[in-house]
C-alpha cells in the first residue's frame, strides 16, 4: 500500500502546498506534482476536495487526503519507516508542536498577509506590530521546542518546522515590499539561523520559490484592478 | 506518578465539552473549574497566555491548550482504553479532516442563527442547515462518524447539539425535520455516560442565550 502511486495537486507559489511536498521529500517518497492553473480549478481538484475545493490535495492510490497539516501527519504515519519522525516522541511535546502550528495558521499568517494588503501608514504599523509580536512568541517557542538542536523538531525537520518554514519565501517578499526586516539576527536571532538551515535543506530547496520570482507573482495577483 | 488533571472550562462551551467527554471516555478523574469569562482567573491567563481562552487542560502542572489538541493528547497519554482516533493512518486523516471542518465552520454558522436578525440571520440559517446536511451525508447510515465505534469526529461535533434547541427557538428552525439522521446520531451519542455527563441541559443553554441576548443585543 505504501508503494502505491502518490500525487500532489497544488501550485508552486502556495506555502500550504509546500508542506506535503517537503514531507514527501523528507521520507524520500516519489510523487507526481499536478499543477493547478491560477484562477481555474481542475475537475480532479473539485472531485478530490469537494468540501473546500482547495489545494493541496494528496492522492495516495487515488484516495484523497486534504488540509496541509493533516497531509503532513498522514505522510509521517504512512511512511514512518522511511525517515525520522516528524513529530516529537512525547504526547506533551506533540501537543505543543500542534499548538504552534495552529497558532501560525489562525493568527500569524493572516497578519502577515495583511501587511501586503494594508492601506495607509496607520494600518501598516498596526499589522506590523502584530506580526512582530507573533515572531517574538515563535522565537521563544523555537528555543523551548528545539532544546538546543537545529530545528523545532530537534535534530531533523519536522511538523512545526514545515508548518512555519513554508511561509519563509512569502515572508521575504513581504520584507522586500515593506522595506523592513521581520526575521533577522537582531530581533529573532534563533529564528534567523533556523530559517537559513531550513531553506537550505535538500528536502526544502527544490520546492521553495526564489524570492524574486515570488515577488513578481505577488505583484501580479495583488495588482489593484484598473477602474 | 499520581495523575493530577485540572480542566479550566466554561459550562456552555462546545469546545470544553469535547475535553470533558474525552476524559470521561478514558475514565480519568479530573477537577473541573468553571471560569467567569468576563473575569478570567490568574491561572487561566498564566496557562494560556497566547489566546487566554478555555478550555485549558492542566496535567501534572503542564498546560495543554486547544480542545482538539487536548483530545488527541488524552488519547495518546491514556492509550490503553477506549481509543478515540482510529489506528489506520488514512482513517485518522479523514477523522482529522472532519474535525477541522467542524472547527472552521460550525461555531460561526451556529452563532449567526441565535445571535443575528433579519437578512443576516436568514443567510446564517441557510448556511447552518447546509453545514449540518454536509455532515449528515458524511455520516450516511453509520452509527457513529467512524463506523461502529464512538470517536474523534463524534466528540468534535456532539457539543453543538446542546445548543440546537436554542438555535431552533431563536432561529425558528426545526433541525430534526431537515436532518433526521444527524439528530438520531446525536440521540445515540447522548446515551453514552461520558456525553450525557458532559453536555449541559438544553433548557439551561436556552436560558443562557436569552440572558446574553438581553444584555448585548440591541432589540
Amino acid at each position: 500500500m505504501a508503494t502505491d502511486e502518490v500525487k500532489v495537486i497544488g501550485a508552486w507559489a502556495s506555502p500550504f502546498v509546500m508542506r506535503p511536498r517537503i514531507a514527501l521529500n523528507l521520507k524520500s517518497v516519489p510523487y507526481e506534482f499536478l499543477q493547478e492553473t491560477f484562477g481555474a480549478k481542475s475537475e480532479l481538484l473539485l472531485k478530490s476536495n469537494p468540501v473546500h475545493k482547495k489545494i493541496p490535495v494528496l492522492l495516495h492510490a487515488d484516495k484523497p487526503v486534504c488540509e496541509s497539516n493533516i497531509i503532513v501527519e498522514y505522510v509521517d504515519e504512512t511512511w514512518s519507516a522511511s525517515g525520522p519522525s516528524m513529530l516529537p516522541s512525547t504526547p506533551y511535546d506533540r501537543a505543543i508542536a500542534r499548538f504552534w502550528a495552529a497558532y501560525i495558521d489562525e493568527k500569524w499568517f493572516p497578519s502577515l498577509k495583511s501587511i501586503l494588503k494594508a492601506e495607509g501608514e496607520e494600518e501598516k504599523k498596526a499589522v506590523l506590530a502584530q506580526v512582530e509580536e507573533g515572531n517574538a512568541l515563535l522565537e521563544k517557542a523555537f528555543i523551548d521546542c528545539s532544546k538546543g538542536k537545529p530545528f523545532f523538531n530537534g535534530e531533523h525537520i519536522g511538523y512545526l518546522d514545515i508548518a512555519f518554514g513554508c511561509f519563509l519565501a512569502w515572508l521575504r517578499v513581504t520584507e522586500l515590499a515593506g522595506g523592513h526586516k521581520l526575521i533577522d539576527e537582531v530581533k529573532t536571532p534563533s529564528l534567523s539561523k533556523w530559517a537559513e538551515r531550513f531553506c537550505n535543506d535538500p528536502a526544502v530547496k527544490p520546492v521553495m520559490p526564489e524570492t524574486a520570482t515570488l515577488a513578481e507573482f505577488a505583484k501580479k495577483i495583488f495588482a489593484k484592478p484598473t477602474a | 506518578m499520581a495523575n493530577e488533571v485540572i480542566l479550566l472550562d466554561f459550562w456552555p462551551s462546545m469546545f470544553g465539552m469535547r475535553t470533558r467527554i474525552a476524559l470521561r471516555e478514558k475514565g480519568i478523574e479530573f477537577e473541573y473549574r468553571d471560569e467567569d469569562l468576563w473575569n478570567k482567573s490568574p491561572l487561566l491567563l498564566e496557562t494560556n497566555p497566547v489566546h487566554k481562552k478555555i478550555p485549558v487542560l492542566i496535567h501534572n502542572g503542564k498546560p495543554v491548550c486547544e480542545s482538539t489538541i487536548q483530545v488527541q493528547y488524552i488519547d495518546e497519554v491514556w492509550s490503553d482504553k477506549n481509543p478515540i482516533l482510529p489506528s489506520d493512518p488514512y482513517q485518522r486523516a479523514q477523522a482529522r479532516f472532519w474535525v477541522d471542518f467542524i472547527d472552521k465552520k460550525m461555531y460561526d454558522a451556529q452563532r449567526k442563527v441565535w445571535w443575528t436578525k433579519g437578512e443576516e440571520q436568514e443567510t446564517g440559517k441557510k448556511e447552518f442547515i447546509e453545514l449540518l446536511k454536509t455532515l449528515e451525508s458524511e455520516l450516511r447510515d453509520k452509527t457513529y462518524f467512524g463506523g461502529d465505534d464512538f470517536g474523534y469526529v463524534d466528540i468534535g461535533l456532539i457539543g453543538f447539539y446542546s445548543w440546537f434547541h436554542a438555535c431552533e427557538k431563536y432561529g425558528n428552525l426545526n433541525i430534526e425535520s431537515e436532518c433526521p439522521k444527524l439528530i438520531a446520531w446525536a440521540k445515540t451519542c447522548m446515551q453514552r455516560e461520558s456525553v450525557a455527563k458532559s453536555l449541559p441541559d438544553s433548557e439551561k443553554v436556552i436560558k443562557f442565550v436569552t440572558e446574553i441576548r438581553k444584555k448585548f443585543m440591541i432589540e
Side-chain angles (χ1 to χ4, degrees):
Chain A
M1 172 57 167
T3 53
D4 286 320
E5 225 178 36
V6 179
K7 299 178 186 159
V8 172
I9 307 175
W12 67 270
S14 161
F16 300 101
V17 171
M18 251 179 262
R19 290 172 173 172
R21 297 180 78 192
I22 296 169
L24 290 164
N25 286 348
L26 285 167
K27 300 284 189 176
S28 307
V29 177
Y31 65 95
E32 190 185 346
F33 185 45
L34 302 171
Q35 287 242 51
E36 290 285 304
T37 315
F38 184 71
K41 295 183 188 199
S42 70
E43 276 304 308
L44 183 62
L45 173 60
L46 298 175
K47 190 182 101 185
S48 313
N49 190 358
V51 173
H52 299 303
K53 305 175 175 54
K54 282 182 170 180
I55 49 163
V57 178
L58 178 93
L59 291 164
H60 187 197
D62 296 323
K63 281 160 69 169
V65 181
C66 306
E67 293 301 308
S68 58
N69 284 336
I70 294 174
I71 300 172
V72 172
E73 284 209 63
Y74 174 77
V75 170
D76 192 34
E77 291 168 11
T78 304
W79 287 279
S80 54
S82 309
S85 178
M86 290 183 203
L87 276 158
S89 55
T90 72
Y92 183 74
D93 289 338
R94 281 202 285 278
I96 298 296
R98 288 176 177 138
F99 173 85
W100 287 113
Y103 168 81
I104 285 159
D105 276 2
E106 280 155 38
K107 298 264 158 83
W108 186 86
F109 181 57
S111 53
L112 182 77
K113 262 201 301 195
S114 328
I115 296 179
L116 284 175
K117 293 187 184 162
E119 295 182 5
E121 278 313 304
E122 280 305 310
E123 201 188 329
K124 264 213 178 93
K125 253 199 213 159
V127 275
L128 250 177
Q130 260 178 18
V131 175
E132 294 199 330
E133 202 182 295
N135 288 347
L137 285 176
L138 291 163
E139 169 82 2
K140 180 164 190 303
F142 177 79
I143 294 165
D144 292 340
C145 295
S146 63
K147 307 195 219 297
K149 301 272 163 71
F151 298 105
F152 280 93
N153 195 43
E155 287 295 345
H156 308 278
I157 288 179
Y159 178 79
L160 182 53
D161 300 280
I162 295 172
F164 189 29
C166 69
F167 292 114
L168 287 169
W170 277 103
L171 184 117
R172 297 301 179 211
V173 166
T174 310
E175 287 178 333
L176 265 179
H180 40 244
K181 288 291 241 162
L182 294 167
I183 286 186
D184 71 3
E185 317 80 46
V186 175
K187 294 186 207 152
T188 54
S190 306
L191 283 183
S192 178
K193 291 195 203 87
W194 162 82
E196 212 182 312
R197 281 193 293 270
F198 181 84
C199 294
N200 285 319
D201 190 276
V204 176
K205 222 169 175 170
V207 303
M208 180 81 78
E210 292 290 333
T211 309
T213 318
L214 198 58
E216 271 307 304
F217 178 75
K219 264 200 210 121
K220 256 201 302 199
I221 60 170
F222 288 119
K224 300 218 163 41
T226 48
Chain B
M1 163 143 89
N3 271 311
E4 189 204 46
V5 181
I6 299 170
L7 180 64
L8 305 181
D9 200 348
F10 180 49
W11 67 266
S13 164
M14 318 82 165
F15 304 102
M17 286 173 217
R18 292 166 169 176
T19 312
R20 292 172 224 166
I21 295 170
L23 288 166
R24 289 184 169 120
E25 280 287 312
K26 300 284 189 176
I28 301 159
E29 299 266 335
F30 65 99
E31 183 191 337
Y32 177 91
R33 291 192 199 170
D34 212 59
E35 285 280 330
D36 174 1
L37 295 186
W38 288 270
N39 186 20
K40 293 177 182 179
S41 72
L43 184 61
L44 173 56
L45 299 176
E46 182 200 310
T47 51
N48 192 356
V50 175
H51 301 298
K52 304 175 175 56
K53 284 182 167 180
I54 55 94
V56 180
L57 179 77
I58 309 172
H59 182 205
N60 293 333
K62 285 158 80 163
V64 178
C65 305
E66 298 295 307
S67 60
T68 57
I69 294 174
Q70 289 158 1
V71 173
Q72 289 183 85
Y73 173 82
I74 289 164
D75 200 32
E76 290 170 13
V77 172
W78 289 278
S79 52
D80 49 332
K81 74 182 273 205
N82 285 2
I84 292 172
L85 270 118
S87 51
D88 171 70
Y90 187 75
Q91 298 306 326
R92 289 159 77 84
Q94 296 313 301
R96 287 178 172 136
F97 173 85
W98 285 106
V99 172
D100 177 74
F101 173 80
I102 292 161
D103 266 1
K104 284 184 162 86
K105 312 261 181 179
M106 269 305 275
Y107 183 77
D108 286 336
Q110 192 173 56
R111 196 167 192 254
K112 281 202 194 123
V113 176
W114 58 263
W115 185 242
T116 66
K117 291 189 277 205
E119 232 187 283
E120 197 184 348
Q121 192 189 36
E122 286 308 308
T123 317
K125 279 160 66 176
K126 278 202 194 84
E127 276 174 18
F128 179 62
I129 294 296
E130 220 175 273
L131 212 69
L132 294 181
K133 288 196 161 142
T134 303
L135 289 163
E136 198 179 48
S137 65
E138 174 56 25
L139 176 68
R140 286 187 301 272
D141 290 308
K142 295 174 280 173
T143 311
Y144 299 112
F145 277 90
D148 294 327
D149 297 314
F150 182 74
Y152 192 54
V153 183
D154 309 289
I155 293 176
L157 183 60
I158 191 62
F160 291 91
Y161 176 66
S162 64
W163 285 68
F164 277 9
H165 285 170
C167 291
E168 287 180 326
K169 178 187 168 105
Y170 284 108
N172 196 23
L173 283 170
N174 183 332
I175 298 173
E176 187 155 12
S177 66
E178 301 272 5
C179 305
K181 282 197 178 144
L182 199 67
I183 297 300
W185 159 83
K187 290 182 176 164
T188 306
C189 290
M190 289 300 289
Q191 288 176 1
R192 293 181 84 82
E193 198 183 340
S194 64
V195 177
K197 273 194 162 155
S198 304
L199 264 59
D201 188 61
S202 277
E203 287 306 310
K204 197 176 175 193
V205 176
I206 291 175
K207 198 163 166 257
F208 173 73
V209 171
T210 307
E211 277 168 21
I212 296 256
R213 283 171 61 104
K214 232 189 261 168
K215 241 192 206 169
F216 299 111
M217 257 178 111
I218 307 153
E219 289 295 347

